[in-house]
Amino acid sequence: MKKLAAIVLALSMVLSMAACGGEPKEEADKDEKDGFKVALVIGVGGLGDGSFNDSMKAGVDEAVEKYGITYQLVEPTEVAEFEGHYTDLSASGEYDLIVTGGYDAAEALGKVAAAFPNQKYLFVDGSVEGLDNVTSVTYRDNEKTYLLGVLAAMTTKTNKLGIVLGVDTPSLIVFAAGFMEGAYSVNPDVEVNVKYVGSFNDTTTAKELAMTLNDEGADIVYAAAGGSGLGVFSAAKEKGFLAIGADTNQCLIDPDVIMVSGIRLVNATICNGIGAAIDGTLEGGSRTEGLAEEALTYTNEGSNVEISSEAINAAEEARKKIISGEIAVPATYEDVTK
């Protein structure tokens, strides 16, 4: 357990160092940035998801502290609203940078950004191609979930695991494929079943699906479903199985049932992107970030669920091999090996 504690501490340090690039600048430097205005358009799941949307807002809040910017928060409730919000914000001419994200917003942003070539956009967790005024950042989430799969497969007592995804789309299947491959790599006998909520803000359905997975034998269920994932945690608490969180440290939501959380440092991407926009160095185009860039990791900090040192060691060995290229993590079900 000393080794486990040391690893958790090291992971916490990685998260701390990665967040928004380090120490705040001098107050005089902040004053120079006064007047820089950002619009933040979050996903349809809304704030309070303890996941992607909260991470987006945290990144802008960090930029407020570091650079002294101001920002406008926009909270769509339906995918159909994205285009209208992007158009209104862009046409206003008030914002130096519009920050948004999510695969379901890509089509709308591509259309609007093409019509406003002088407006700068930072788009996370999705890609808009062919526009110099859009900086797109996607994540190799399957690398992170491979590590989660290793941990789950070495912790399960039933040899059955579950995954609850928000929607059935390639950008979410990446999560499941990586998880499966990691699980199978250390436990060939394990079974992994996947169910889809159909929404990022339907906790009732997510809870029902998680309960069904548990009834089918899964004693650990991974929630990659935005705000819907809160329903998975509720089911875990009610029925006494374990859960795995996504994007942020969701162990803190319920330390008794959430054993580990995958971490995606969306907040650091956004804060650093705003800094680059202020400095005039934010380049258009697409890039991906993963384990090698320290944009992804996992943590069980704050959880009361014990993870064996053997499982942690196996996950850390897998991390090294993924970064070195020795392990190629699949992004589709078809490429998962068992």
Side-chain angles (χ1 to χ4, degrees), residues 159-163 176 179-181 183-184 190-194 213 338:
N159 276 343
K160 291 187 178 182
L161 305 173
I163 301 174
F179 186 95
M180 289 176 169
E181 188 79 359
Y184 298 151
V190 78
E191 296 179 12
V192 183
N193 293 319
V194 184
L213 286 166
K338 184 177 180 181

Side-chain angles (χ1 to χ4, degrees), residues 268-282:
T269 298
I270 289 176
C271 182
N272 290 332
I274 291 172
I278 291 170
D279 295 338
T281 58
L282 184 65

Side-chain angles (χ1 to χ4, degrees), residues 152-156 159-160 182-191 338:
M154 295 184 69
T155 304
T156 178
N159 276 343
K160 291 187 178 182
Y184 298 151
S185 73
V186 295
N187 186 350
D189 296 326
V190 78
E191 296 179 12
K338 184 177 180 181

Side-chain angles (χ1 to χ4, degrees), residues 164-168 172 195-200 224-226 228:
V164 174
L165 296 181
V167 292
D168 183 1
L172 268 293
K195 295 189 183 296
Y196 308 92
V197 181
S199 169
F200 292 109
S228 296

